[in-house]
């Protein structure tokens, strides 16, 4: 369509020439310009992590060269800089995540890139800007991505690349859960399990920044004392292993910390029951994951005598069109904290050429590893 418009425009502006030599020169100029126009309207070819069937990620994904695609008037072509491997990315490839892209698909769901080129109708975004896809969208595990301008959110280029690449899933989940369920004020407290996860670490730091106390539960494992110290350096008030909480009354452990109004559960099983033990009368537990794959068991007394509420949170479901601008503001807040060193978590930047090694680490084949972030 763009080519036809170009030829029509050329025809309108090219007078008839009687002299054959001059006509030849003009036609040559037309086709030279047409080639330049066509090249400008196409993205560079892209190297991508592709899969055309669901299954074990280390078996079904492959690195493939994808051809150039047309850049339409409202499109932005982005050269990807970095993108993480999240558990939800793995679940999409396995076919167990509730929302999955049609096959064949390019992996990845969040990341950060630099604008390479823009369509004729794009305003407010220029080549060289840094952008992230928001709401998050599939296909970030490739060197070039072309999507409509509405998909891209421009961010401050001073942001550390790895934090820009990972802000839209875990940190956004943390700040939304702190904001959406209970009106927390300075001096209040929260309790959570899975405190070593990135969401857990973000909750600790975001709570500290607002003057909110955090009580944190971790697994019993070798090196738990070191883990406790790391979390306390992030701002955790109290950190307990699960075995430390095998007491009848946990209130005696709180000292001057008030009983929490809200708790966050990403583990399930006994770890969820420990969160419930801390909650005050009328408190709420929000579940956003189930790493233990064990059900949540609630004592009848928790409902009858403590009037506790159980809620769930799924970021994907909370990203309706009416929430996009609000969430983009929250993302800007989170990235500002990252630039100031007030929001941090452990990651490993891995070259794209080593993608399969990073995938093995993300799958747990090489033991406990930090979040893997692919650098293109």
């Amino acid at each position: 369509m763009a080519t036809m418009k170009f030829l029509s425009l050329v025809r309108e502006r090219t007078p008839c020439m009687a002299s054959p030599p001059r006509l030849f020169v003009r036609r040559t100029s037309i086709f030279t310009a047409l080639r330049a126009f066509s090249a400008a309207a196409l993205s560079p070819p892209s190297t991508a992590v592709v899969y055309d069937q669901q299954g074990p990620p280390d078996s079904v994904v492959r690195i493939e060269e994808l051809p150039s695609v047309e850049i339409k008037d409202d499109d932005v072509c982005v050269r990807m800089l970095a993108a993480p491997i999240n558990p939800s990315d793995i679940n999409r490839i396995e076919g167990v995540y509730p929302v999955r892209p049609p096959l064949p698909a390019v992996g990845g769901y969040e990341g950060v890139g630099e604008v390479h080129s823009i369509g004729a109708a794009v305003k407010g975004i220029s080549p060289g800007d840094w952008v992230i896809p928001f709401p998050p969208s599939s296909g970030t595990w490739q060197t070039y991505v072309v999507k409509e301008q509405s998909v891209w959110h421009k961010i401050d280029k001073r942001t550390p690349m790895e934090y820009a690449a990972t802000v839209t899933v875990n940190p956004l989940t943390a700040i939304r859960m702190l904001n959406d369920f209970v009106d927390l004020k300075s001096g209040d407290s929260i309790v959570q399990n899975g405190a070593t996860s990135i969401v857990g670490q973000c909750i600790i730091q975001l709570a500290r920044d607002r003057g909110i106390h955090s009580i944190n539960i971790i697994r019993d494992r070798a090196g738990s004392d070191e883990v406790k110290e790391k979390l306390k350096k992030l701002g955790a008030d109290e950190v307990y292993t699960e075995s430390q909480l095998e007491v009848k009354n946990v209130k005696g452990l709180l000292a001057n910390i008030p009983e929490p109004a809200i708790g966050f559960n990403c583990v399930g099983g006994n770890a969820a029951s420990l969160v419930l033990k801390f909650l005050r009368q009328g408190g709420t537990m929000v579940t956003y994951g189930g790493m233990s794959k064990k059900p949540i068991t609630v004592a009848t007394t928790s409902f009858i005598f403590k009037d506790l509420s159980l809620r769930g949170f799924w970021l994907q479901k909370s990203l309706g069109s009416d929430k996009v601008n609000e969430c983009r503001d929250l993302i800007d807040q989170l990235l500002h904290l990252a630039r100031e060193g007030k929001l941090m978590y452990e990651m490993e930047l891995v070259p794209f050429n080593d993608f399969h090694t990073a995938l093995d680490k993300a799958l747990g084949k090489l033991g406990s590893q930090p979040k893997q972030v692919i650098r293109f």
Side-chain angles (χ1 to χ4, degrees), residues 176-183 262 264 284 286 311-313:
R176 285 290 307 272
M177 291 196 302
L178 284 168
N179 289 352
D180 288 3
F181 295 93
V182 173
D183 183 18
I262 191 167
F264 303 110
T284 299
V286 179
R311 301 287 302 276
F313 180 84

Side-chain angles (χ1 to χ4, degrees), residues 123-265:
K123 298 184 184 302
I125 293 179
S126 304
D129 288 343
W130 277 22
V131 292
I132 59 176
F134 191 83
S137 58
S138 297
T140 57
W141 291 352
Q142 59 181 317
T143 51
Y144 289 92
V145 178
V146 177
K147 293 181 183 287
E148 289 185 3
Q149 178 180 2
S150 60
V151 170
W152 301 106
H153 176 55
K154 181 178 173 180
I155 65 166
D156 191 324
K157 292 177 69 171
R158 295 172 297 174
T159 305
M161 182 189 301
E162 61 271 31
Y163 289 97
T166 57
V167 69
T168 58
V169 174
N170 292 321
L172 186 59
T173 292
I175 198 169
R176 285 290 307 272
M177 291 196 302
L178 284 168
N179 289 352
D180 288 3
F181 295 93
V182 173
D183 183 18
L184 290 167
K185 295 180 172 56
S186 180
D188 289 341
S189 66
I190 63 94
V191 59
Q192 65 168 342
N193 58 35
T196 57
S197 68
I198 289 185
V199 173
Q201 293 177 58
C202 288
I203 285 174
I204 290 170
Q205 295 168 87
L206 293 170
R208 177 199 59 192
D209 192 59
R210 293 166 56 178
I212 297 167
H213 303 287
S214 67
I215 302 158
N216 303 274
I217 304 168
I218 62 173
R219 290 178 300 156
D220 288 280
R221 60 180 178 182
S224 59
D225 288 339
E226 294 178 12
V227 172
K228 288 181 181 181
E229 287 305 310
K230 285 183 179 180
L231 295 181
K232 287 187 176 181
K233 285 181 180 178
L234 292 179
D237 290 271
E238 298 292 346
V239 184
Y240 300 106
T241 61
E242 293 181 15
S243 62
Q244 284 182 287
L245 300 178
E246 292 175 355
V247 293
K248 188 172 183 180
N249 184 6
V250 298
K251 290 182 182 179
L253 300 173
L254 293 179
N256 296 322
I257 299 175
E259 289 181 280
I262 191 167
F264 303 110
N265 163 52

Side-chain angles (χ1 to χ4, degrees), residues 3-14:
T3 302
M4 295 302 295
K5 288 181 179 178
F6 179 87
L7 288 173
S8 175
L9 181 62
V10 170
R11 290 192 188 102
E12 289 174 7
R13 297 185 179 181
T14 306

Side-chain angles (χ1 to χ4, degrees), residues 72-85:
K72 299 176 183 177
D73 285 352
D74 292 326
D75 285 346
V76 176
C77 174
V78 174
R79 180 177 68 86
M80 294 302 295
L81 299 173
I85 303 177

